[in-house]
Structures are given as structure tokens and as C-alpha cells.
């Protein structure tokens, strides 16, 4: 179909869609199939038939719900950035020799005995992780459209009006990584546009009317010339003689000056996120007058029911801004669970407040009908949404004045500890630790005995008392091991925790754990984030008994082990009816109460982990300082209830710490353990540069790898660290928790760690 024909059809554009959908399967069928394939238990045909079945069901349900344009190519065996790398022929040369294309794909994602995998990192500020494509100096791009054409073929056979979705060229290159001395990948934009041009031509040949190109990077400050890049790219793609109509989707924030730039190009549709952004500028862009505006009014990444009245108001107000309005989710619903009906244990009020992936589709469809036929056409839906919103607003569980008063009182009193010097002296008096104290980050290997005990408890095979007995046996093992190894500060090993956030969420009021609310975190890994719906309170101590038990077995100090407020928020679905800072303060108060109880139980050292501090960092520079302020305040609120002689530790990982390094210093923990093994201690210089002067434990070996580090290697790292930090302030520890390692690996590695510390102490 030629462009002219397509243009004439834009007079009857689509009216309702979503930007993408979950793909793991309503019961994690894809996860199971892919893992079986990796283990050699099913063959490729069987895997492909599971995948095709999931696609078919997804499309059928979207059509049945009433969407008039269905996104395809949003399915993935692992990740959409990796799919795009395959599409444009940008897999790294080191996988080229893997003969089978699917195995090559998985080798790039996960590595194999001979091939190191590509890196993985967070997709913007979500909990989804993508595979980072590598662009070397020799990289050439060639089109490999099999996946997208194959899915379109399937959709056609099913009679679906399909709209292929592809990561856009600006976003693809911006999120890729230059390797082997290549220039920044964006330098290759023009070459890559050639390949996209070829793709668009092929799609037009097949009669595809619309293609969606995702450019979320345009709402961030990762590139500083978003407007120029958008204009250059979409003038070229828009100017092609043979192509489908082009829909450029943006999400996770406000477009700012890339909006008028995109609007000046010949693309037919622009998508904006009206949940994360306000869309305030939309009325002032005259070039939108002949475009479709795809208005993301239904939140694609949180689980709350939409206020349909408000959303319809937003949509109606936009009518003048563009040629036509399409109702959509703000982003792909990849980030939310499939459907509410899988939850049979939900409090009815809470159920009425929620919308998962499927329910969001029905909201989009209702809004599209309301926009077309008027508010009265959906008055029943609006009434139901209104009732849910009123019930949520007035629910006493969201309005606990006592929590709010306690926070104000503590904040008013300063929430401060004594000076760092005073604390150091008081703690040394109490703990009498040697120079270069050795410790670990908290978890020990999750043995099969632990997993069996958890499964047995869940299935009712054993009672709580037996479970507790088995966990205590695990703790006793771990304490014995640490004493044998000669570590200075011990941990209980965290056997009772399935997950460092869920464990606390299950014990705090204000949280709800779903039964089947799985979302993809990366590849085949799925997580089930708790829902933080109400004011947070701690009905009773959460960790004290376990830690006291561990402490009763040893004369060495045992660290209390808690998860910090920012990390608890980052890995939960959070309420959207109050500022995140307020929610963080409530969680912080619960953690603070726990620290005070641990202290009363005689625990002298308490670690409050904040591995997700970097994760919630806003995408726009102007919003970063405010976030870091409340994040630091929440941490301090959670850790300032204890005496100066109680030592507060924190732990951070998963990051380039650059932008948060000042905040790390501001946390003012007495001891900070931090991932450093892979960055060769560089983080220490960065900490010095911001005036950090408390103690620090740079991770001296990488726990993400099964490799056991040698004594000399660790000693060398420690000596390197001593160039940046005096011995009185330096701790010795691995770079993260040990739960993914085997007991043998851990025993050997820690033996070497203790020996290296002894060697360097005596230097
Ligand atoms: N204390 C946790 C553990 O050791 C910290 C995990 C993390 O940093 N992600 O497992
Ligand atoms: Zn960590």
C-alpha cells in the first residue's frame, strides 16, 4: 500500500489502543517454557508453540475487549531491546558463531560457557531490565525482519488489525553502549535510519497501515538534543515515499521541546504520557492540528483504577489540540500483572480500587466510547469508577492520623543523631572492633533445605513451629560458619526472607501481597511487587526474634538487617494519592520503630539496606534534587531513633553511583558497604570528593560471579582502597549478599577475604 493511500485512511484513524502488553503469560507460561528450553527439557518447536499460543490469546482478548488497533511484536522471548538488536543486525560478533538463531539470541542475553552475555540495566525508572546492545567501531546494520513479519503474519491469519511496535532508532542507540573504542552509538543514527527505512518499506508492501516506534528517551535528559534528534530522524522516516503511517510513542514523562519538534515532522501520530506528564503544552503546538494525538490517560505502570470522569475531562479538553484523539495507556502494560480475576483473596474494597492489565484495556475502551458518544454513553462506568474512588478516599486505612502525627513530631524535633565523631568513639568503646573489620552483606546461600521448608509451609505440609525450627537450624549453621571463618561482625543469613521487600511488606499494615500479580523483571525472571495502598504501620516487631536468636549463639556482634524505605517503595506498587515523600516517611517510621526494638534487645549494629536509592532517580535533571532530599530524609528518619553507640550500616549496589554520590554521604550512616569490585574502588575517590568521612566497606569481590577470588587479589584491592581511605575507616566485605552463591563458593571466598584482611592489617 503506498503512502498516499495510507494518508487518506488517516481520516478514519484508530481510536483506542494500548502501547504494549505483558508477555510472560497469565500464569507465567512463557517463563516456564523458556526455562525448560534452556534446560534442554523441551525443544524449539514446543517453546514456539507456547509462545504462539500466548500471542494468540493476548490479541484475541484485546480485540474482544474492543480495541481497534492491536500492538504486535511486543512479545519477546527475553527483551525488546535485544529483539531490536536482532532486527537491525546489531548482535555482538562474539555470538555470531552460534549456529541456531534462537540459541544465538539467548547466548547474547545470558551468555554460555564460552560467551560473556551482554550487560543488563534498568529500563528508565521502572523495575524492568533490558539487555544493553553493544555497538563497536565495525558495527554495520542490516535488516532482519523475520520476527516482526512472522508475528504480523500470525495476526493476519487471526484477522487482527495489527500495529507492529519497534523500539525507535533514537532510543535504541541512546540506550546502547559503545565498545572497543567506538564513538557514542548515536553517531550512527543516519546508518540506522537506513535500516528502519527499509523496514518501513517492507511493512508498507505488506499492507500494514500503522507502525509504532517507541521513543521514551525523548522524555529524559539522557540526550541533551532530543528536539534536534527527533526532527532529524522523523523528517527522514516521515519523508519516505513508501511507508505505513508512523506513530511515535513517548512515555514515562513530559516531552517538552521534543514535542513541537516531532510535530513539525511528517509523522501521523504522536503519543504522550498524560499520567507522568501534564500535557500542558499540547494546546500550544499548532503543528498537531493535522495529527493523531495518542493520549496516555490510563496508567500503564501502576495498578490503580482510573478516575474515568477526570480522564474523560482530560481527553475532551484535548480535542482542539489535534486532528483526533486516540485513547491509550500511558505506556505498555508490561509493568502490571495480567488481570484481577486471578486474585481470589482480595479485600473487596481494595479490589474495587485496582485495575491490572486487562482492566486497563476495558478502561481505555470505555473512555474511547465516552469520547465518541458523550459522557452519558459511559455513565455506568463513570459511576462505578467514582464509587471506587470515593471508597478509597474515605477508607480509614488510608487516613491514620496517629501515623501522621508521629511523623510530624519526630521531624519537628530534628530526627538527628550525635556528631559522627561522637558516634565513632561511642561505638568503638562498645564494639572494640579490630582495624579493617570483616563482615558480609546479609544473606547466605538459599539452600534447598530453605526452599523446601518454605514450600512445605505454603502447602500446609508443615506448621509454623516446624518452619521456625528449620530456619533456626539454618541460622545456627551460618553463625557457626562465620565463627569458623573468623569474621568480625556476623549476620543471621536471612533464611526466613523470600525477598528483602516482600518480607517486610507482609508484616506491615498498609501493604497487600497479591497471589498472582507477577510482572517481568528481566528475561524469565518475574517478581510479585506488593501493593502499598494505605498508611503504613508496624503491628509488631518484624525481625527481632530471629536476630536475637542469632546473637544468642555467639559473642561476636550480629548485625540487625532491615530494608530501607526507598527500596521498599521502589519494589512495590505505591499509592498515587499522596506525594511519594509522605509514603516514604511512613515506611521510614516503621523501620525506625524496628531499629529501636533491635537496640532494646541488645543489638549493637543495624544495617538498613538501600540498594534501590539510584533506581527512583527522576528522569529529568530538574526533579533530581527534590527526590534525593526526601530519600535522604526518609533514610535518616528510619535510622535516627537509636543511640550514638548503636552503629548504623547501609548497603548500596546495582549502580553507577555518580549522580547519587552526594546523597550517599548525606545518609550519614556510620558504615556504608558499597558495590565496588567491578569498578576497581573508583567509588572511594568519588566519596572523598564529596567530603564523605564515615566508614566504608567497598566490595572487594564480585558475588555475581561463581569465581572464587584469591587472597592476593583481595589484598591488592584492599591496599588500593587504603590509598583512598585510612585504615580506621575501612571495612572488608563482599560487594553484595551471598544468597545466589553456593555454600562452597562462599566458604572459600570468605576464607580468602579474612586471610587478606589479616595480611593487610599486619602490613
Ligand atoms: N541484605 C541483602 C542481602 O544480603 C542486600 C541485598 C541487596 O543489596 N540487593 O541479600
Ligand atoms: Zn547489594
Amino acid at each position: 500500500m503506498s503512502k498516499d493511500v495510507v494518508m487518506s485512511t488517516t481520516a478514519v484513524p484508530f481510536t483506542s489502543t494500548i502501547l504494549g502488553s505483558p508477555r510472560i503469560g497469565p500464569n507465567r507460561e512463557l517463563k516456564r517454557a523458556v526455562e525448560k528450553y534452556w534446560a534442554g527439557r523441551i525443544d524449539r518447536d514446543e517453546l514456539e508453540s507456547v509462545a504462539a499460543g500466548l500471542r494468540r490469546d493476548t490479541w484475541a482478548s484485546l480485540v474482544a475487549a474492543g480495541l481497534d488497533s492491536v500492538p504486535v511484536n511486543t512479545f519477546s522471548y527475553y527483551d525488546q531491546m535485544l529483539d531490536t538488536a536482532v532486527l537491525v543486525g546489531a548482535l555482538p560478533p562474539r555470538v555470531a558463531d552460534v549456529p541456531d538463531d534462537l540459541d544465538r539470541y539467548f547466548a547474547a542475553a545470558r551468555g554460555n560457557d564460552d560467551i560473556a552475555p551482554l550487560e543488563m540495566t534498568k529500563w528508565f525508572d521502572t523495575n524492568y531490565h533490558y539487555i544493553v546492545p553493544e555497538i563497536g567501531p565495525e558495527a554495520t546494520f542490516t535488516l532482519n525482519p523475520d520476527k516482526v513479519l512472522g508475528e504480523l503474519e500470525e495476526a493476519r491469519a487471526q484477522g487482527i488489525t495489527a500495529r507492529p511496535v519497534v523500539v525507535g532508532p533514537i532510543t535504541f542507540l541512546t540506550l546502547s553502549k559503545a565498545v572497543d573504542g567506538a564513538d557514542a552509538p548515536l553517531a550512527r543514527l543516519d546508518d540506522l535510519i537506513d535500516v528502519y527505512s527499509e523496514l518501513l518499506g517492507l511493512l508498507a508492501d505488506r499492507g500494514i497501515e500503522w507502525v509504532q516506534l517507541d521513543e521514551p528517551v525523548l522524555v529524559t535528559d539522557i540526550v541533551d538534543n532530543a528536539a534536534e534528534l527527533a526532527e532529524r530522524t522523523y523528517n527522514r522516516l516521515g519523508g519516505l515515499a513508501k511507508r505505513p503511517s508512523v506513530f511515535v510513542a513517548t512515555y514515562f514523562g513530559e516531552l517538552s521541546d521534543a514535542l513541537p519538534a516531532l510535530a513539525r515532522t511528517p509523522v501521523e501520530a504522536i503519543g504522550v504520557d498524560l499520567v507522568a506528564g501534564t500535557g500542558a503544552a499540547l494546546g500550544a503546538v499548532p503543528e498537531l492540528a493535522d495529527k493523531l494525538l495518542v493520549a496516555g490517560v490510563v496508567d500503564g505502570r501502576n495498578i490503580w483504577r482510573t478516575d474515568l470522569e477526570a480522564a474523560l475531562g482530560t481527553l475532551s479538553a484535548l480535542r482542539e489540540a489535534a486532528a483526533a484523539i486516540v485513547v491509550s495507556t500511558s505506556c505498555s502494560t508490561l509493568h502490571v500483572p495480567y488481570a484481577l480475576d486471578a486474585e481470589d483473596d482480595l479485600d473487596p474494597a481494595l479490589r474495587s480500587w485496582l485495575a491490572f492489565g486487562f482492566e486497563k484495556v476495558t478502561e481505555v475502551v470505555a473512555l474511547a466510547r465516552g469520547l465518541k458518544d458523550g459522557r452519558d454513553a459511559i455513565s455506568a462506568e463513570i459511576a462505578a469508577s467514582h464509587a471506587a474512588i470515593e471508597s478509597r478516599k474515605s477508607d480509614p486505612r488510608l487516613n491514620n492520623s496517629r501515623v501522621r502525627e508521629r511523623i510530624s513530631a519526630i521531624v519537628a524535633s530534628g530526627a538527628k543523631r550525635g556528631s559522627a565523631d561522637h558516634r565513632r568513639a561511642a561505638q568503638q568503646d562498645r564494639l572494640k572492633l579490630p582495624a579493617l573489620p570483616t563482615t558480609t552483606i546479609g544473606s547466605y546461600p538459599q539452600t534447598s533445605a530453605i526452599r523446601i521448608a518454605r514450600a512445605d509451609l505454603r502447602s500446609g505440609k508443615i506448621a509454623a513451629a516446624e518452619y521456625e525450627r528449620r530456619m533456626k537450624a539454618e541460622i545456627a549453621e551460618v553463625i557457626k560458619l562465620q565463627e569458623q571463618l573468623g569474621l568480625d561482625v556476623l549476620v543471621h543469613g536471612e533464611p526466613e526472607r523470600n525477598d528483602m521487600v516482600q518480607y517486610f511488606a507482609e508484616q506491615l499494615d498498609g501493604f497487600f501481597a497479591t497471589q498472582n500479580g507477577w510482572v517481568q523483571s528481566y528475561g524469565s525472571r518475574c517478581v510479585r511487587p506488593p501493593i502499598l495502598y494505605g498508611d503504613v504501620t508496624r503491628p509488631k516487631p518484624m525481625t527481632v526474634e530471629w536476630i536475637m536468636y542469632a546473637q544468642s549463639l555467639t559473642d561476636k556482634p550480629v548485625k540487625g538487617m532491615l530494608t530501607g524505605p526507598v527500596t521498599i517503595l521502589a519494589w512495590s506498587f505505591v499509592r498515587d494519592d499522596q506525594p511519594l515523600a509522605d509514603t516514604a516517611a511512613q515506611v521510614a517510621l516503621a523501620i525506625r520503630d524496628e531499629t529501636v526494638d533491635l537496640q532494646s534487645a541488645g543489638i549493637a549494629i543495624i544495617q538498613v539496606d538501600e540498594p534501590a536509592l539510584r533506581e527512583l532517580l527522576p528522569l529529568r535533571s530538574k526533579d533530581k534534587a527534590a527526590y534525593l532530599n526526601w530519600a535522604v530524609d526518609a533514610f535518616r528518619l528510619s535510622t535516627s531513633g537509636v543511640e550514638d553507640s548503636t552503629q548504623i550500616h547501609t548497603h548500596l549496589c546495582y549502580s553507577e553511583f555518580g549522580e547519587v554520590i552526594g546523597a550517599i554521604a548525606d545518609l550519614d550512616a556510620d558504615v556504608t558497604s558499597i558495590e565496588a569490585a567491578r569498578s576497581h574502588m573508583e567509588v572511594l575517590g568519588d566519596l572523598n570528593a564529596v567530603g564523605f568521612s564515615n566508614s566504608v566497606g567497598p566490595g572487594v569481590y564480585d558475588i555475581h560471579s561463581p569465581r572464587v577470588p584469591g587472597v592476593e587479589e583481595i589484598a591488592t584491592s584492599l591496599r588500593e582502597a587504603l590509598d583512598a581511605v585510612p585504615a580506621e575507616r575501612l571495612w572488608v566485605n563482599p560487594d553484595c549478599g551471598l544468597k545466589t552463591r553456593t555454600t562452597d563458593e562462599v566458604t572459600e571466598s570468605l576464607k580468602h577475604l579474612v586471610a587478606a584482611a589479616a595480611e593487610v592489617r599486619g602490613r
Side-chain angles (χ1 to χ4, degrees):
M1 187 175 296
S2 81
K3 165 127 195 303
D4 293 329
V5 179
V6 171
M7 287 305 288
S8 67
T9 67
T10 58
V12 277
F14 57 102
T15 66
S16 60
T17 195
I18 60 175
L19 298 190
S21 53
R23 54 208 179 199
I24 55 175
N27 292 302
R28 289 178 295 154
E29 292 85 348
L30 185 64
K31 169 203 174 68
R32 297 212 176 86
V34 160
E35 288 177 355
K36 278 189 200 152
Y37 177 75
W38 292 339
R41 282 164 43 217
I42 61 172
D43 64 12
R44 181 170 176 164
D45 282 350
E46 201 168 331
L47 173 61
E48 285 180 343
S49 102
V50 171
L54 289 171
R55 289 192 291 266
R56 193 164 53 237
D57 293 351
T58 299
W59 299 336
S61 98
L62 298 180
V63 170
L67 295 185
D68 60 4
S69 177
V70 170
V72 309
N73 198 42
T74 61
F75 171 83
S76 180
Y77 280 119
Y78 205 96
D79 164 56
Q80 68 269 11
M81 280 289 288
L82 183 58
D83 295 343
T84 313
V86 173
L87 173 73
V88 302
L91 284 184
R94 67 176 177 280
V95 302
D97 292 340
V98 181
D100 176 82
D101 61 336
L102 187 59
D103 293 339
R104 194 179 317 134
Y105 175 86
F106 286 135
R110 319 169 57 230
N112 63 26
D113 287 347
D114 309 313
I115 295 173
L118 293 174
E119 267 177 32
M120 182 171 74
T121 195
K122 277 171 65 77
W123 180 243
F124 300 91
D125 56 353
T126 72
N127 281 326
Y128 177 78
H129 303 71
Y130 69 92
I131 296 292
V132 183
E134 293 175 2
I135 309 292
E138 321 278 85
T140 50
F141 301 120
T142 48
L143 186 64
N144 172 17
D146 294 356
K147 173 176 184 290
V148 52
L149 296 183
E151 288 184 28
L152 285 170
E153 213 40 63
E154 285 173 23
R156 184 196 306 267
Q158 207 176 320
I160 304 283
T161 309
R163 183 184 80 243
V165 177
V166 179
V167 176
I170 306 172
T171 296
F172 178 77
L173 287 175
T174 304
L175 299 186
S176 295
K177 175 179 156 181
V179 293
D180 304 332
D183 289 340
L186 262 181
R188 307 293 304 279
L189 184 59
D190 286 310
D191 296 343
L192 188 61
I193 293 173
D194 290 342
V195 173
Y196 277 74
S197 303
E198 198 184 332
L199 172 67
L200 265 49
L202 271 184
L203 295 175
D205 286 342
R206 309 223 163 189
I208 298 301
E209 297 195 359
W210 284 94
V211 62
Q212 171 182 330
L213 297 174
D214 280 5
E215 294 287 17
V217 87
L218 296 179
V219 310
T220 72
D221 291 332
I222 307 173
V223 287
D224 54 17
N225 56 341
E228 186 258 322
L229 291 168
E231 199 152 1
R232 174 146 63 100
T233 304
Y234 289 99
N235 271 333
R236 272 196 64 196
L237 292 176
L240 294 170
K242 194 175 71 167
R243 65 170 177 85
S245 292
V246 173
F247 161 30
V248 180
T250 70
Y251 40 88
F252 300 149
E254 193 97 56
L255 257 177
S256 104
D257 60 344
L259 172 65
L262 263 183
R264 282 192 294 273
T265 73
V267 302
E268 283 75 13
I270 297 174
V272 292
D273 181 337
L274 296 175
V275 177
T278 63
L282 290 169
V285 184
E287 293 88 348
L288 282 175
D290 63 354
K291 307 230 185 277
L292 276 194
L293 182 65
V294 183
V297 289
V298 169
D299 193 343
R301 56 184 284 192
N302 208 339
I303 40 62
W304 304 109
R305 187 170 186 157
T306 305
D307 180 341
L308 291 182
E309 182 94 72
L312 188 60
T314 304
L315 293 164
S316 307
L318 288 173
R319 272 177 199 271
E320 302 299 306
I325 307 295
V326 180
V327 184
S328 172
T329 51
S330 60
C331 59
S332 167
T333 56
L334 172 71
H335 309 286
V336 295
Y338 267 77
L340 265 176
D341 66 9
E343 304 296 323
D344 47 31
D345 185 29
L346 260 180
D347 169 270
L350 184 52
R351 177 186 295 274
S352 78
W353 306 340
L354 298 175
F356 289 178
F358 175 76
E359 291 75 25
K360 286 174 189 295
V361 173
T362 62
E363 292 180 334
V364 164
V365 171
L367 286 167
R369 189 147 38 88
L371 191 62
K372 176 162 159 280
D373 298 337
R375 184 192 181 285
D376 288 351
I378 58 164
S379 53
E381 286 89 342
I382 288 181
S385 129
H386 188 71
I389 283 151
E390 284 308 307
S391 122
R392 189 172 162 209
K393 245 188 232 157
S394 60
D395 193 289
R397 293 171 293 182
L398 279 67
N399 299 282
N400 183 331
S401 53
R402 171 144 167 76
V403 180
R404 291 155 190 275
E405 283 155 17
R406 279 193 66 208
I407 293 170
S408 312
I410 296 170
V411 171
S413 75
K416 258 199 150 93
R417 307 187 72 201
S419 74
D421 287 343
H422 184 259
R423 277 153 31 205
R424 194 193 321 269
Q427 290 160 20
Q428 191 46 27
D429 243 25
R430 180 174 179 188
L431 293 164
K432 306 202 166 42
L433 292 169
L436 308 186
T438 53
T439 191
T440 54
I441 305 304
S443 57
Y444 271 70
Q446 288 269 326
T447 60
S448 54
I450 297 175
R451 277 191 287 265
I452 290 169
R454 232 196 299 288
D456 285 354
L457 178 70
R458 223 179 307 124
S459 70
K461 205 164 150 196
I462 59 170
E466 170 62 10
Y467 176 75
E468 190 179 315
R469 196 193 61 74
R470 294 194 198 172
M471 291 300 120
K472 284 190 167 166
E474 291 289 331
I475 291 173
E477 280 294 312
V478 165
I479 294 287
K480 192 169 91 198
L481 174 65
Q482 295 173 87
E483 290 212 309
Q484 281 165 356
L485 289 164
L487 289 156
D488 298 308
V489 171
L490 311 194
V491 297
H492 78 298
E494 306 180 20
E496 80 289 12
R497 302 183 189 180
N498 40 1
D499 172 281
M500 65 188 286
V501 168
Q502 205 173 335
Y503 179 76
F504 291 96
E506 278 168 6
Q507 300 189 69
L508 291 168
D509 286 343
F511 283 87
F512 184 86
T514 66
Q515 289 165 285
N516 197 47
W518 297 98
V519 295
Q520 186 180 14
S521 172
Y522 61 88
S524 71
R525 177 159 166 83
C526 303
V527 293
R528 206 160 34 119
I531 296 174
L532 198 178
Y533 69 91
D535 285 339
V536 175
T537 54
R538 187 194 67 140
K540 58 180 198 317
M542 303 179 282
T543 65
V544 176
E545 274 191 38
W546 298 115
I547 305 296
M548 274 178 67
Y549 174 69
Q551 185 66 81
S552 75
L553 302 173
T554 176
D555 295 332
K556 298 265 180 79
V558 173
K559 271 195 277 193
M561 194 57 61
L562 304 172
T563 303
V566 175
T567 300
I568 290 183
L569 253 57
W571 297 348
S572 302
F573 289 118
V574 292
R575 53 196 292 189
D576 61 353
D577 61 339
Q578 67 181 16
L580 264 184
D582 294 2
T583 309
Q586 295 183 358
V587 176
L589 184 63
I591 299 300
R592 178 187 178 97
D593 289 344
E594 189 73 12
T595 63
V596 172
D597 284 345
L598 283 166
Q599 174 179 268
S600 307
I603 300 302
I605 306 182
I606 300 168
Q607 179 171 311
V608 178
D609 289 329
E610 283 292 20
L613 180 68
R614 169 79 177 61
E615 290 190 20
L616 286 187
L617 196 66
L619 299 174
R620 289 286 192 194
S621 314
K622 65 173 175 37
D623 304 324
K624 289 180 182 172
Y627 158 70
L628 290 172
N629 252 327
W630 69 249
V632 168
D633 283 352
F635 183 86
R636 288 188 166 217
L637 178 61
S638 65
T639 52
S640 59
V642 295
E643 284 153 22
D644 286 357
S645 62
T646 297
Q647 189 168 68
I648 295 290
H649 289 217
T650 190
H651 167 71
L652 299 127
C653 56
Y654 298 136
S655 353
E656 315 95 58
F657 296 106
E659 291 185 281
V660 300
I661 202 90
I664 293 173
D666 290 344
L667 297 178
D668 197 26
D670 299 306
V671 182
T672 300
S673 66
I674 191 162
E675 183 175 309
R678 283 177 294 182
S679 65
H680 302 286
M681 304 288 143
E682 271 166 29
V683 67
L684 297 179
D686 299 344
L687 280 169
N688 283 342
V690 294
F692 179 86
S693 58
N694 294 350
S695 296
V696 59
V700 290
Y701 82 89
D702 177 10
I703 63 90
H704 301 93
S705 149
R707 203 176 70 86
V708 172
V711 177
E712 272 323 298
E713 180 184 335
I714 299 178
T716 305
S717 284
L718 286 174
R719 292 199 183 92
E720 222 176 290
L722 282 171
D723 289 340
V725 179
E728 318 78 78
R729 295 209 279 115
L730 187 64
W731 282 63
V732 181
N733 46 258
D735 72 354
C736 196
L738 303 169
K739 76 165 162 230
T740 56
R741 297 271 65 89
T742 67
T743 302
D744 286 349
E745 287 161 3
V746 162
T747 307
E748 279 307 291
S749 300
L750 292 178
K751 210 182 271 172
H752 295 172
L753 177 143
V754 170
E759 180 184 318
V760 176
R761 269 176 206 152
R763 88 205 127 121

